Amino acid sequence: MKESCRCGAEGRRQYNGGLAGRWDEERGALSQAEPQARRRLRLGVVMLRELLEVPGLLLSIGSALGVASARLLTAASRSHGAGMRSTLPSLVARLPPSVHIFGGHTVLGSPLPTVERLILRDERWDALPPMSVGRHSSAAATMGGRIYVAGGNSGQQVLNVVESFDCTRGCWEPIPPMPTARHRCAAAVAGGRFCVLGGEGRRAVAVVEGFDPALQEWETLPHMSMERTSCAAASLAGRMYVVGGADSVGHASASAECYDSSSRQWLRLPWMTTAREFCAAAAANGRLFVIGGRLSLWGTLASVECYDPMVGYWVLQSPMPEERSRHAAVVAGGRIYVLGGSDARFEALSAAACFDPLAGRWYSLAPAPTARVACAAAAAWS
């Protein structure tokens, strides 16, 4: 019995010794292989860094990723993103932003929560996640890689609901509500704020409120010189312009004014050649364009006029191919895109059109999947 125990103990010592020896051998092999793996990893990082400094390759990578993802790369890595940072201006010039259209209502008046995007490279429409609430007569603008949509009408009430669409992640996020609920308002960006102008709750208002994304707060800005509803707005050269709309007694207006965020003052501009409400506005090539709208209940317009701040007066442009009101307009790649709205017969439109300010010509685009009236729109890289 004792002999068997001694034999067993001796066997265990030999077994354990063998394991320890093999472990030492393997640990030694690992310790020799580890520097090689680290060297390979460092070499891979260096090669990747060098590849990410080749302008032609960076432009190809950026074109495949898209501007929004390329911007994420520059923010995520100081070293690897350096080359992409220098390539971004060329990438932005090569790839126009996509055009997004939000909400509105059907010809029967049903509010829509749906969102559609026109990818200009392919002239192809696709659907994006819907907003949290169906709304028409809202206002939208792009700031800091996000599209903000504010106000509107749900079909049951006038809204102060605001939400933003993250173009990189493709999702909606709630924003603190506006102090003033309103629809038929306009939106633009000034002084680092998303601003909502005019509109109406029970009556037309001159109220302007700006949202600061850094502070996550709304601020009441100086009021416009007059109450406006169904007006249009755009940002140009650091100023915010608002045009047309209906006044406090419901008359279409030809007046225009601009807000200087540095002086926090409104400046009156020369009147437009045509009074118009339910129009759209967009800024391109240093000029402000006002498109379509309605002069009266039976006076839907196809006319277009532009204001050059350097000249100081309004000039008529080539009219749209058809009359249109309660539509939206955005600028992408130096061209103006007009979306949705209703025609002279009050039919909801899915037709989309593009205006080239340099050529002075209109072009037809692929129609949107959904015909919608009183929609909002914005352009952004996604």
Side-chain angles (χ1 to χ4, degrees):
M1 184 68 179
K2 290 181 181 179
E3 183 66 26
S4 64
C5 289
R6 283 195 298 270
C7 290
E10 183 66 24
R12 282 193 297 274
R13 280 194 296 272
Q14 292 177 359
Y15 177 74
N16 291 335
L19 276 180
R22 284 196 297 273
W23 167 248
D24 289 338
E25 291 175 5
E26 290 176 5
R27 186 172 57 183
L30 285 173
S31 63
Q32 293 176 3
E34 186 177 11
Q36 295 179 3
R38 288 182 178 177
R39 283 195 294 271
R40 285 196 297 268
L41 179 60
R42 283 197 299 270
L43 179 61
V45 169
V46 170
M47 291 177 65
L48 177 61
R49 188 177 300 170
E50 290 179 353
L51 285 173
L52 289 178
E53 296 296 329
V54 180
L57 180 60
L58 280 171
L59 202 56
S60 298
I61 294 173
S63 298
L65 290 175
V67 173
S69 297
R71 283 177 171 165
L72 276 182
L73 176 61
T74 65
S77 173
R78 181 173 298 178
S79 57
H80 296 167
M84 187 62 77
R85 274 191 290 275
S86 62
T87 307
L88 266 178
S90 300
L91 191 62
V92 167
R94 170 183 283 196
L95 300 177
S98 297
V99 172
H100 303 70
I101 185 169
F102 306 91
H105 65 72
T106 65
V107 69
L108 298 177
S110 300
L112 297 167
T114 54
V115 180
E116 291 163 347
R117 174 179 60 181
L118 175 60
I119 302 173
L120 296 179
R121 282 186 295 175
D122 309 324
E123 199 175 318
R124 172 176 56 87
W125 288 92
D126 63 1
L128 294 177
M131 296 181 289
S132 64
V133 60
R135 61 174 97 192
H136 64 81
S137 307
S138 59
T142 302
M143 182 174 66
R146 291 175 175 266
I147 301 175
Y148 294 80
V149 181
N153 193 313
S154 68
Q156 298 178 332
Q157 62 179 339
V158 176
L159 302 172
N160 65 350
V161 177
V162 186
E163 49 194 315
S164 74
F165 184 72
D166 186 322
C167 298
T168 304
R169 295 190 297 156
C171 62
W172 287 96
E173 295 181 1
I175 297 296
M178 288 188 295
T180 305
R182 50 187 139 163
H183 65 155
R184 297 179 177 177
C185 46
V189 173
R193 292 179 175 85
F194 166 69
C195 301
V196 182
L197 308 93
E200 63 180 278
R202 295 183 178 179
R203 61 179 181 83
V205 298
V207 174
V208 181
E209 292 163 343
F211 176 73
D212 187 328
L215 300 177
Q216 289 289 298
E217 291 179 353
W218 286 90
E219 177 187 0
T220 299
L221 301 177
H223 287 195
M224 297 180 290
S225 65
M226 59 175 283
E227 294 87 358
R228 295 178 191 268
T229 182
S230 310
C231 53
S235 301
L236 173 61
R239 290 184 170 183
M240 184 167 58
Y241 290 75
V242 60
V243 296
D247 59 22
S248 57
V249 294
H251 295 156
S253 175
S255 67
E257 53 190 312
C258 73
Y259 177 73
D260 187 331
S261 57
S262 59
S263 65
R264 295 177 65 91
Q265 291 183 342
W266 284 95
L267 308 172
R268 294 193 180 188
L269 303 176
W271 283 34
M272 295 184 291
T273 63
T274 305
R276 55 183 88 212
E277 60 177 334
F278 297 114
C279 53
N285 298 322
R287 296 179 292 170
L288 175 69
F289 291 80
V290 183
I291 303 156
R294 206 166 66 191
L295 177 59
S296 64
L297 184 60
W298 303 106
T300 304
L301 302 169
S303 62
V304 180
E305 52 189 304
C306 82
Y307 177 78
D308 187 337
M310 302 300 293
V311 177
Y313 56 83
W314 294 90
V315 177
L316 287 173
Q317 303 290 299
S318 300
M320 288 187 292
E322 60 183 335
E323 297 90 352
R324 196 184 293 239
S325 70
R326 307 190 75 181
H327 52 295
V330 298
V331 174
R335 293 185 171 187
I336 300 172
Y337 294 83
V338 177
L339 313 160
S342 60
D343 60 17
R345 298 172 297 174
F346 300 101
E347 294 289 336
L349 297 173
S350 62
C354 168
F355 180 67
D356 185 337
L358 296 179
R361 295 183 57 187
W362 285 91
Y363 304 91
S364 296
L365 299 172
T370 307
R372 54 183 85 210
V373 182
C375 50
W381 281 279
S382 54

